[in-house]
Each structure stands twice: as structure tokens, then as C-alpha cells.
Amino acid sequence: MRVLIVGGGGREHALAWKLKQEDPTLELFAAPGNPGIAELAECLPIAVSDLAGLEHAAIDRNVDLVVVGPEGPLEAGIVDRFRAAGLAIFGPTKAAAEIETSKAFAKRLMLDAGIPTGRAEMHTTVTAAHEAVHRFGAPVVIKASGLASGKGVIVCRTLAEAEAAVDDILQGNRFGAAGAEVLVEEFMEGEELSVFAITDGVRFVLLPGLQDHKRLLDNDAGPNTGGMGAYAPVSLVDSPAPLAGIIDATLRALAEQGRPFTGLLYAGFMITSTGPRVVEFNCRFGDPETQALMPLVHTNPGLLDLLLASARGALPPAEVTLDGACVATVLAAANYPDTPRTGDVITLPPPEEGVLVFHAGTARDGDGRLVTAGGRVLAASAVGPTVEIAQQRSRAFAGQIDFAGKQMRSDIGMREVNRQHHSPSARASGN
Ligand code: GLY
């Protein structure tokens, strides 16, 4: 079996690791990959935006499956193009990927289909958006409709902040064409939960939920980032049934619009006092959630078989189990999430049982040294019998990784640890 993974971040490293764990004889290629992936796969120096180059590589290498990591190539239509060339590819078409690439499309779809989500208005002019801000009141959320590298969602505590966010996006052109339309959206109170469904457009396999940590600093302080860590399992909901119901309704709504969704549907839920409501959908695996999920999850059939079956449109039922807990602590470069500094030499401690290091923004310099090459540099994913033990291992290992300007949180998984300490059984046992 020959598989090409498109991408070169921590998510793709975790997927590559999982696929090789399941089948060590797998012939794996990655484009462009990274120094961590290079230990598992042949890395091809092709950018994820170079669809023609990727297509040639897939045909040349005679791959059986292409797995797309990031949203960019999905928005550019890689799945439509590769399918037309007769290649099996895991991911949604360009039209179906709009569930992530156009937040305005996703919101209209949800509102029309009665899917629980925040109230919202979509606007393209500053005046109309300001009026909406005043109708909603503060706090309120302002979103750029298009892809904005995880930076297009601004939670505003005051009306003045919300007006400034609107001005910045619509007038200041902060996100270019991705900000031609803004959403003014109800602020939802609760905890977030990321849930992944592998789907062939009709059937789906629900994977266990994870929690991401978007703020840069401990205790959810500091600016928003692409994600500073994630963990699983999350004991926020008693039953996955309402989440599965929402995924099902979304797949039906997309199919009814002539945009059947294949690949990985990522639902970002807010678990509110009245139940789960959708914050956003993404059209690919989450990052860094995948780095916390892959060391932990077992599926029967295996992940590779599920990805292949999704690409072929015939997903079988699957058993999904979690083996303990996992915490992935992200190490970020100096000056992240603004323009990160690159070129700092990285020193990794000796490998440790139960801890995996997934590479994201790393590169080899001219002397072969591992150096920082992006905002989020590495993730230390540690497994353990509980989130608390996995957290301790992940934090301790991440603390030993050294590079100038390193930034990391030490509290990934804190909500779950608090929940466990305050659970009725912990109280009964005096914990
Ligand atoms: N962890 C957030 C995302 O992947 O979009």
C-alpha cells in the first residue's frame, strides 16, 4: 500500500505516525513533510499549493491513497482535480469544503437546517455591520467569513471593540478577500469541544471529543493562537448522541445542497447549559487535536482502512476505543503568534517511553541541525492512565526541549483535571 500525505505540520506527522504504527510496511510519502515526518516517509519538496506538482507525484509514485491535511488545498479544489484524474483521495470537494472556507455559507446552512448554533448576521458593509453589533449588544463575536489562518474570530467584550474589529476586517482589509464579508454572531457561554467524524457523505464514524487550548498563556490568558495544546478524553458530555445527531443533520443538509461531504468533518461545539451548539465546522483534522488523538485512539477497521473507505464512498461501521489519556503540549517559537522568529537551534531530550514528539515548524539548517521554522514548532504528546498523569508527563518532557524563545503552556488539560478532582466519586473518596 502506498500513501501520500499532503502537508507538513504536526497534524500530518501524527497521521503519518498512526498509519505506520498500524502497518509498518506502508510506503509513505509526504509533501512537503518536515524533519519528523522524514523519519517515517519519503518527503517530496512540493508545496501544498502546487496541485499540479502533487498530482504528478501521486501518479508517478502510483499511490493508492492521498490524505490531505490542511484546508488550503481543499479550498483550491485538490479533491475535485485528483478524482478527475482517477486518484483515491481523502477529503471533501471544493464545494463541500465551504463548510469551513466560508463561515457565511456554513452559518446559512446551519440556520436553514435548524442546527443549533449562535444567532448571526452576515454583512459586507461597515454601516450594516455596526448596526448589527448594536442589535446584538456586548459581548459579541466578529468573524471574517473566509480562511484567516485561525485568526479570523474575534471575541469582543465591548461594542467599541466589536466596531473596531469590523473596521479592521472590512475597511482595513486585515484578512484580504477572506474578510470581504463578516459575521456578527451571538457570544455563547460554555466549554468548547472538538469532535471529528470520518465520513463518506452519508455514513460516519465519530471519534472521541478533544479540547483545544487557543490562548497563548496559562489559565487561558494572552492572545489567541492556532492552538497551544489539546487533550482527550473530555468528560464534558454524558452521551455522544446529540453530537452525532448534529453531524448527521449537517451531512444531510450538505448532501441536499448537492455538496456531499467526504473526508473529515470537524465540528467545533460549544457545550452550553442548554446543550451542544456549533461554533464552527472545519473540513479537515484539527491541529493540535490530532497530535493528542492519534496516540490514543484505536479503530477497528484501522484508520487507513477508514480513510480509504471514505475516499471510495463505502464507509463500514467501526469500533472506536481510547487507550487511557493523552495530553499534547505545543512548543511555540519566539514572538508567536505574531511573526515568529525562525532559525533557533532545537535540542531534544532522549526519547521517553509514552511520549511522542510531533514536528510542525521545524527544519534542518545547512549544518543538519534541527531549527525552528514556524510558529508552532513541536508538540510533546504524552499518554497515561489519566489526563492528570499525561499532563504531568507532557509538561515535564516539553520543559526539557530547548530552544531560544520557547513558549509553552503548563496547564494543558486543566479543565479535565479540575473536573476529575471535583467529580462526585473524587469527593466521595476524599480527593
Ligand atoms: N485546533 C483548531 C483547528 O484545527 O482549527
Side-chain angles (χ1 to χ4, degrees):
M1 178 74 70
R2 298 161 75 87
V3 173
L4 168 64
I5 295 182
V6 175
R11 164 185 46 211
E12 290 77 29
H13 190 182
L15 287 170
W17 175 83
K18 182 68 180 172
L19 297 182
K20 281 294 260 194
Q21 281 287 115
E22 285 186 350
D23 179 4
T25 69
L26 187 70
E27 283 188 69
L28 204 51
F29 304 92
N34 65 36
I37 297 175
E39 292 174 14
L40 303 166
E42 182 186 338
C43 290
L44 311 171
I46 307 169
V48 299
S49 55
D50 179 3
L51 300 196
L54 293 169
E55 184 184 333
H56 285 142
I59 293 170
D60 265 9
R61 305 294 196 288
N62 198 21
V63 300
D64 301 288
L65 178 68
V66 180
V67 178
V68 186
E71 61 278 13
L74 297 168
E75 182 182 44
I78 189 171
V79 169
D80 313 65
R81 179 181 181 133
F82 277 38
R83 279 192 190 152
L87 292 159
I89 182 162
F90 176 79
T93 60
K94 179 179 171 67
E98 276 198 38
I99 194 86
E100 172 171 1
T101 63
S102 168
K103 290 188 171 53
F105 166 76
K107 186 59 78 174
R108 288 187 188 104
L109 183 99
M110 287 188 269
L111 294 175
D112 289 349
I115 291 164
T117 184
R119 284 180 302 116
E121 290 183 24
M122 280 65 85
H123 293 289
T124 54
T125 66
V126 169
T127 312
H130 281 188
E131 285 168 7
V133 163
H134 286 266
R135 270 193 297 282
F136 275 74
V140 63
V141 181
I142 305 297
K143 294 180 176 175
S145 178
L147 292 181
S149 309
K151 294 181 181 158
V153 177
I154 303 147
V155 177
C156 305
R157 298 277 154 198
T158 65
L159 296 179
E161 267 177 50
E163 286 188 351
V166 164
D167 296 350
D168 205 20
I169 297 172
L170 287 179
Q171 251 169 6
N173 221 16
R174 176 158 168 210
F175 302 114
E181 188 171 18
V182 293
L183 284 77
V184 179
E185 188 170 318
E186 174 191 358
F187 173 81
M188 292 186 281
E189 203 71 70
E191 267 191 58
E192 291 194 45
L193 185 68
S194 307
V195 175
F196 302 163
I198 297 171
T199 177
D200 62 5
V202 178
R203 294 157 290 255
F204 62 93
V205 172
L206 202 65
L207 300 176
L210 298 108
Q211 201 162 57
D212 187 7
H213 297 59
K214 296 247 170 58
R215 299 280 178 169
L216 182 69
L217 304 172
D218 279 2
N219 296 314
D220 287 338
N224 253 331
T225 69
M228 292 299 292
Y231 73 93
V234 186
S235 63
L236 249 186
V237 291
D238 296 331
S239 155
L243 311 176
I246 290 172
I247 299 275
D248 190 46
T250 306
L251 293 175
R252 283 174 196 274
L254 282 162
E256 275 164 22
Q257 288 213 2
R259 307 174 188 234
F261 186 101
T262 53
L264 194 288
L265 183 63
Y266 164 151
F269 288 107
M270 186 66 78
I271 308 301
T272 71
S273 55
T274 57
R277 299 171 81 191
V278 177
V279 178
E280 63 176 5
F281 284 111
N282 294 317
C283 63
R284 36 81 196 168
F285 281 98
D287 190 337
E289 290 96 326
T290 306
Q291 293 91 306
L293 184 61
M294 289 302 129
L296 202 59
V297 74
H298 298 281
T299 62
N300 184 14
L303 182 67
L304 178 58
D305 289 333
L306 294 179
L307 302 185
L308 254 178
S310 158
R312 291 177 177 156
L315 195 70
E319 270 175 47
V320 180
T321 48
L322 277 189
D323 193 6
C326 183
V327 170
T329 299
V330 167
L331 297 116
N335 208 35
Y336 179 76
D338 295 331
T339 311
R341 191 173 74 204
T342 58
D344 288 310
V345 176
I346 302 166
T347 309
L348 293 174
E352 195 175 298
E353 173 89 24
V355 184
L356 292 155
V357 176
F358 293 123
H359 289 231
T362 67
R364 295 271 171 209
D365 71 4
D367 298 322
R369 295 177 305 181
L370 192 67
V371 294
T372 61
R376 288 182 293 168
V377 177
L378 297 159
S381 295
V383 294
T386 64
V387 169
E388 188 166 15
I389 292 171
Q391 181 193 61
Q392 286 160 4
R393 287 182 181 160
S394 174
R395 177 172 53 216
F397 196 88
Q400 294 174 61
I401 297 174
D402 186 52
F403 54 86
K406 176 181 92 172
Q407 304 187 75
M408 62 172 267
R409 283 180 62 156
S410 62
D411 64 349
I412 305 302
M414 60 172 179
R415 288 202 182 82
E416 188 64 23
V417 173
N418 287 340
R419 260 192 296 278
Q420 296 307 327
H421 279 236
H422 295 103
S423 71
S425 59
R427 279 201 296 273
S429 66
N431 284 337

